[in-house]
């Protein structure tokens, strides 16, 4: 099996689907000849031409707005927003239009658009090349939100997203775009949306994460194991719909929970996870749920390593949960 | 004045074919339209006028939550849509119901939408006047102003990518030209030569905001220059003039020459909506000035000169329309509200667990209340 | 003391501050001669003229973008967004610009803009005249979020907001704009941001709400009292910064919690409240925290009463919490 | 060609004063500038060129995280800012550092920002090239393209409301004209006659996207028509021409006549940023074609004809600049990173409990690690 990084896996998924389904078009800033600033669409322009791999003017509202129109007409647009930080000019088109089209038209007009966008910190990008805005989209009824952590899932989830009937926000962890490498089957396969994956079994504490933070958590879990803490690590993969069953089963077993994300803590996705777990498994909880998250400040530049959850910070938090009496 | 695609921006004086009495202006050439269509178009204009009167009255009686009229702007509805085929797409705003009727949206469907009842095509999900009807390619209306503009570009562009000759027509008010969405839509259409027609109903007002507070540009059509497309200013109360410029725009679009912007100069004679009281912000004499330019009277004059209009026929179709509305209203009023559990349909194609759970909660709640679901208060 | 409704109280606060501080300007769609579609700015145009009460073109990004520039220059803009549902075209200016200006400029450029906007359902407004987007703003570092429930607080909180040095999202519960009436002192007074208010003392359960839902909760609490449930009702008033102390003190006393808001449940503000309470007072909790919220669907039209938390639904939820063993 | 406020849009040929050798074009009139200023301006151009070369080299050596050059566009920096006073406001994008230097931003401040160290005026909060300096009314740069445009309108407008004569100058690339923010900013400025000058650096490229993919409009200046303001196209490599059109625009603004849009036609000779490799998407010969039009060489030619330039002086100021940069670099490199707890400052004017709590967590963490704070990896 070939070894790929996440960019290559995304590229592979796009190519497979564009070959399979003539309706798939890719559009965005610099996605054509240049192949995207991260090269995720590299080679597609050459293979599929300017009608299906489209360099757009600099306007995210135009990219998403026209993608919505294309989807209504019957195409399967897969727009790229160059950085998640630049998605807000398209926010109205996403939350008021794309998310509500099927509903508001009484089911007459579905708009299956898959928005790909790199997100997250750790690349020395400061405020505007580091944000993790997933909670904004999870809070918006009508959108599915998917965040892979590795090449295998990236390809399989993206293929599922492109074949689904719903709008999907597909967020790619750019910090590990190249660093997360792994075997990826050639050709077609899918990873279904809405299924979490237990990446490390354990009995002492349930650790929930997704995207780039999964790697931080795995590092922390390894350190924790040395300290006698047996963590069960779950990669959520899809944030909405959440695979609550897998989460609760684990929590009922471990009784302790640590949630990790890099977005700001307050009203972040971790809040929803913590609330759900406390609702559905309160009596199983042997310690307060720990949330390790980005601080409630704009994303910094020089101090980004202080800002981002580190393996040490996650480890300390796991320890607190495990030691709680 | 001949309207050609070559001419980038029309002069400030809007293009007219008919004078205020419905006579052809000197040198003007009417677009070729079969007599039967001329009569149908007249009926189409009347339908909007009468429907608006009746629904507004219904609203005033407290039998309808909200309504928006188009009085004085009816020619933009029919003129925009007449030159199109049913395969073409309409991205409407809330003030062009005549375009939907023309394509076969039924009066009952229209009124069921206003009531948001179980037979409303949008399932009681949106406020009155937010229609959607896939059968006639009439795309779901959104309240946020201007959002349909880039979407219409996407649809037209998709047709082009799919090697179809379909055209997208997008309607919006002059207020919408101030939004970022207008700009990005126009700009994309220019760059990709999307077969999209931008139809700006300049009716002088955006709620209480007058046209000159909306932009310092001399005309709205002039904005087209900034996107490399033709901008045409047309008399929005002259159905023939609108059809004429639309014909040109549609031809251009089908020929692969790209988009056109049309500014139809008209006037919002009524309030913004049934919630509005325009006397607070504008001179009550202003609407009166536009009455002599009424699009229906003018078109009637034209039919008369062609020997197509008689008083008797006029009375007959008005009676017909009124009867049809009464019938549709009666039928619509007998339809109940959507079932409560439909609240959870169509958020997604499927029903994820969290919505299934919430749906069950609601059903349990209703069952606990003895199956008696309280009706939404008004 | 005069009796006012919320619109009058807001209008009064604006007039007082505009008289006191020449730097205050009001701008937005239809706020001038018309006095705003809800009449909150009524009479201001006549008193302060077109330079300080400004009718704008139809562009929320322009309203907020220029308000930011005005604030940088030294004015105190108080823009109105006609309905909270229409705030998204300005989302980029709010979350990427306004919220981050002070921080990203190293403290050199504060941007004290107070954005007023009516929010919430219950007025037969469907998708686009009913939304409650507060969680989006609470999740955005750099913004304060304030939601009054009554005329007294509306005036006092708005005066505080306009005198503060930070950007504030000031959300007005339009469902009770006219219905919530009460005595309001003439002239100047402030209600500080960041302080919740206990509106009903009780020992059985803590109920947290804000804005229009406060009234639903009060109705529910009255019914509950008849059923022997002694609810402590807290009006949060400021969502960020939250008055956590008041909340926790109550929870430690009652051991049971019900959180009510009309925004969609998933990743709503209730998630953060529930997560915080479970973090800081887990051992005090005698029952799972109840969240009563809008369903995770776009806001409907005909079925809005089914959608919105009703006193009965709140009451049922309180009962569940109280009866939990 | 005389540039006057009356003329709404210049012809497609940009306005020039100097030929490629720096000689006055036939009939051209140079704006009156004292000799000392001419020499300072030349030094200002050189400073940007040399700083860019050195910082890019530093970046290539791995001593700097990221950098963006302005090579070939320096005249837009100096030409935009020379006609202003220090009370006027600049809303820059990332590619006009020469405007900051001209107003007194020090080389050390500049380099400290690139390093994001403890003496960076923005406290290490933003990526390199995102400067802000209140002292010189140089407003905080944002990465999102175009956001500064409506803000600059607000600042200009605020000056007008405050009865001050200050003007706001906003810089942006031609890519930014595609954003909704450009549109709403231009439109507001037109309506309120805000004293704001819209300075579009049309350098032909937005990362890999060429100018003709950005819009179908013939010129960017033509977009001004849609907002009822003058649009002027100027040779962006001709410092005198830029100063001349800026003089007109500033005068208009101070006279209460409102905004002006300037399109400066220039060329991005380098990559978009230090992360970019333009050879992937554009012909490497294209930048070469612009070398003979270099703004510094042309301005040098002009100084020479005025007897203000000598080889020796040129060498001397280049040496000076290099020495100043070396000194600033050395000083900046000796400054450490900001203290970790500064992470929590300036989110708000005060420190709410939740940030105080998070700050304490970070401090505890650092203390637990023996006070040894790990330095941010690169
Ligand atoms: C983004 C947005 N902002 C504000 C509103 C409130 N609003 C509804 S209609 C309207 C005026 C629209 O005027 P125009 O575009 O001229 O259309 P007309 O009503 O005249 O047909 C406004 C401000 C809205 N619906 N959407
Ligand atoms: C809203 C937004 N979208 C995308 C980007 C990524 N981006 C950064 S610079 C740039 C191109 C800008 O081109 P232009 O405006 O011509 O300025 P130039 O770089 O040529 O000076 C892009 C697409 C961004 N910063 N902001
Ligand atoms: Mg209008
Ligand atoms: Mg450029």
């Amino acid at each position: 099996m070939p070894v790929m990084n996440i960019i290559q896996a995304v590229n592979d998924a796009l190519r497979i689907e564009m070959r399979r389904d003539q309706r798939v078009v890719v559009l965005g800033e610099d996605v054509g000849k240049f192949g995207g600033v991260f090269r995720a669409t590299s080679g597609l322009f050459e293979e599929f031409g300017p009608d299906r791999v489209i360099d757009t003017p600099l306007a995210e509202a135009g990219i998403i707005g026209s993608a919505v129109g294309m989807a209504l007409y019957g195409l399967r647009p897969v727009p790229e927003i160059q950085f998640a930080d630049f998605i807000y000019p398209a926010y109205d088109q996403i939350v008021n239009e794309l998310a509500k089209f099927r509903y508001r038209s009484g089911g007459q007009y579905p708009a299956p658009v898959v928005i790909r966008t790199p997100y997250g910190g750790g690349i020395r990008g400061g405020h505007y090349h580091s944000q993790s805005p997933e909670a904004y989209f999870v809070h918006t009824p009508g959108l599915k939100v998917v965040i892979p952590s590795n090449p295998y899932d990236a390809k399989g989830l993206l293929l599922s997203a492109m074949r689904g009937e719903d709008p999907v926000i597909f967020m790619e962890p750019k910090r590990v775009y190249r660093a997360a490498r792994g075997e990826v089957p050639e050709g077609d396969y899918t990873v279904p949306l809405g299924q979490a994956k237990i990446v490390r079994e354990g009995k002492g504490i349930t650790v929930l994460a997704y995207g780039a933070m999964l790697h931080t958590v795995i590092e922390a879990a390894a350190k924790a194991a040395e300290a006698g803490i047996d963590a069960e690590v779950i990669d959520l993969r899809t944030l909405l719909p959440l695979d609550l069953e897998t989460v609760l089963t684990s929590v009922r077993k471990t009784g302790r929970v640590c949630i990790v994300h890099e977005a700001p803590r307050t009203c972040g996705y971790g809040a929803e996870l913590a609330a759900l777990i406390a609702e559905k498994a309160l009596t199983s909880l042997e310690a307060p749920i720990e949330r390790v998250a980005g601080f409630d400040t704009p994303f910094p530049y020089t101090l980004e390593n202080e800002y981002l959850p580190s393996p040490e910070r996650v480890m300390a938090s796991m320890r607190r949960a495990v030691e709680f009496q | 004045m001949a309207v050609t695609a070559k001419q980038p921006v029309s002069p400030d004086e809007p293009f007219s074919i008919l004078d205020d009495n419905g006579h052809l202006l000197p040198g003007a050439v009417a677009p070729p339209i079969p007599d039967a269509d001329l009569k149908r178009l007249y009926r189409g204009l009347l339908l909007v006028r009468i429907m608006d009167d009746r629904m507004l009255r219904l609203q005033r009686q407290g039998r309808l939550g909200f309504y928006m009229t188009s009085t004085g702007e009816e020619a933009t509805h029919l003129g925009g849509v007449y030159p199109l085929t049913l395969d073409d797409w309409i991205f409407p705003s809330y003030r062009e119901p005549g375009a939907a009727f023309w394509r076969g949206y039924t009066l009952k469907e229209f009124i069921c939408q206003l009531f948001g009842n179980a037979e409303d095509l949008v399932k009681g999900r949106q406020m009155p006047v937010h229609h959607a009807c896939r059968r006639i390619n009439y795309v779901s209306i959104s309240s946020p102003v201007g959002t349909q503009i880039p979407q219409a570009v996407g649809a037209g562009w998709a047709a082009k990518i799919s090697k179809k000759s379909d055209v997208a027509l997008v309607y919006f008010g002059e207020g919408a030209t101030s939004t970022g969405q207008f700009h990005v839509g126009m700009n994309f259409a220019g760059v990709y030569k999307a077969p999209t027609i931008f139809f700006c109903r300049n009716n002088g007002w955006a709620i209480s905001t007058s046209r000159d507070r909306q932009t310092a540009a001399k005309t709205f059509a002039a904005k087209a220059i900034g996107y490399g497309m033709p901008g045409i200013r047309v008399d929005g109360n002259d159905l023939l003039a609108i059809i004429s410029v639309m014909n040109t725009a549609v031809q251009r679009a089908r020929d692969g020459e790209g988009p056109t912007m049309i500014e139809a100069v008209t006037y919002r004679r009524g309030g913004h909506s049934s919630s509005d009281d325009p006397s607070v912000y504008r001179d009550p004499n202003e609407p009166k000035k536009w009455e002599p330019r009424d699009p229906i009277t003018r078109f009637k004059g034209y039919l008369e000169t062609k020997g197509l209009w008689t008083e008797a026929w006029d009375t007959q179709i008005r009676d017909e329309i009124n009867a049809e509305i009464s019938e549709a209203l009666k039928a619509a009023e007998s339809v109940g509200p959507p079932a409560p559990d439909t609240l959870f349909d169509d958020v997604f194609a499927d029903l994820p667990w969290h919505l299934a759970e919430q749906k069950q909660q609601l059903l349990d709640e209703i069952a606990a209340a003895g199956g008696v679901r309280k009706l939404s208060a008004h």
Side-chain angles (χ1 to χ4, degrees), chain B residues 37-45 78 82 102 239 243:
Chain B
D37 279 4
L38 288 172
K39 294 178 78 173
R40 279 182 64 220
L41 285 165
Y42 180 69
R43 196 183 193 282
L45 297 172
L78 279 297
Y82 177 73
W102 181 259
L239 180 56
I243 290 175

Side-chain angles (χ1 to χ4, degrees), chain B residues 239-270:
Chain B
L239 180 56
L240 293 184
I242 298 173
I243 290 175
S244 173
V245 300
M246 272 294 300
N247 279 337
T248 311
V250 173
Q251 198 52 52
R252 250 181 78 77
R254 296 218 206 279
D255 289 351
E257 290 176 53
T260 300
M261 177 179 173
I262 294 171
E263 173 190 356
V265 183
T266 179
Y267 187 79
R268 195 196 79 204
R269 274 155 56 187

Side-chain angles (χ1 to χ4, degrees), chain B residues 174 203 205-206:
Chain B
E174 86 292 346
N203 64 6
W205 291 90

Side-chain angles (χ1 to χ4, degrees), chain A residues 89-272:
Chain A
Y91 204 68
D92 193 37
Q93 282 290 343
I94 297 172
V95 310
N96 258 348
E97 299 292 315
L98 180 59
K100 295 177 173 55
F101 237 108
R102 178 192 289 274
Y103 195 77
R104 82 173 194 218
S105 64
Q108 297 180 89
Y109 284 107
V113 173
V114 178
I115 302 177
R116 290 182 42 251
T117 189
Y119 85 96
I123 60 148
R124 310 272 301 156
H127 292 349
Y128 296 120
H129 297 80
S130 306
Q131 295 174 40
S132 299
E134 66 272 15
Y136 293 140
F137 301 113
V138 173
H139 184 51
T140 305
L143 301 175
K144 294 187 170 174
V145 182
V146 176
I147 307 187
S149 70
N150 62 67
Y152 177 89
D153 286 344
K155 179 173 168 184
L157 289 166
L158 184 53
L159 281 166
S160 283
M162 291 189 288
R163 291 172 193 177
E165 300 302 320
D166 295 309
V168 176
I169 310 292
F170 192 88
M171 297 173 61
E172 301 169 2
K174 64 177 170 300
R175 185 189 193 174
V176 294
Y177 247 163
R178 291 189 177 80
R181 297 172 59 80
E183 295 201 330
V184 174
E186 282 182 84
D188 205 339
Y189 69 95
T190 57
V191 173
L193 306 196
Q195 292 187 8
K197 187 167 133 201
I198 300 173
V199 296
R200 184 187 193 287
E201 292 199 22
K203 296 202 183 66
I205 181 168
T206 300
V207 189
L208 304 175
Y210 49 89
M213 279 298 117
L214 207 263
H215 302 272
T216 302
V217 163
I218 287 174
E219 216 180 307
K223 277 190 222 276
E226 289 168 26
I229 298 174
D230 183 22
E232 176 141 306
V233 178
I234 300 180
D235 183 352
L236 296 175
R237 303 200 290 196
T238 303
L239 274 57
L240 196 120
L242 169 67
D243 181 357
L244 184 62
E245 211 32 58
T246 299
V247 171
L248 291 182
T249 305
S250 177
V251 172
R252 292 199 182 101
K253 175 172 70 176
T254 63
R256 296 166 202 266
V257 186
C258 173
I259 300 164
V260 185
H261 61 65
E262 50 180 297
R265 160 188 300 248
T266 297
C267 264
Y269 188 62
E272 180 61 32

Side-chain angles (χ1 to χ4, degrees), chain A residues 77-95:
Chain A
V78 187
E80 173 180 300
I81 298 296
Q82 203 163 77
F83 285 82
D85 317 66
F86 306 144
I87 206 164
Y88 309 121
Y91 204 68
D92 193 37
Q93 282 290 343
I94 297 172
V95 310

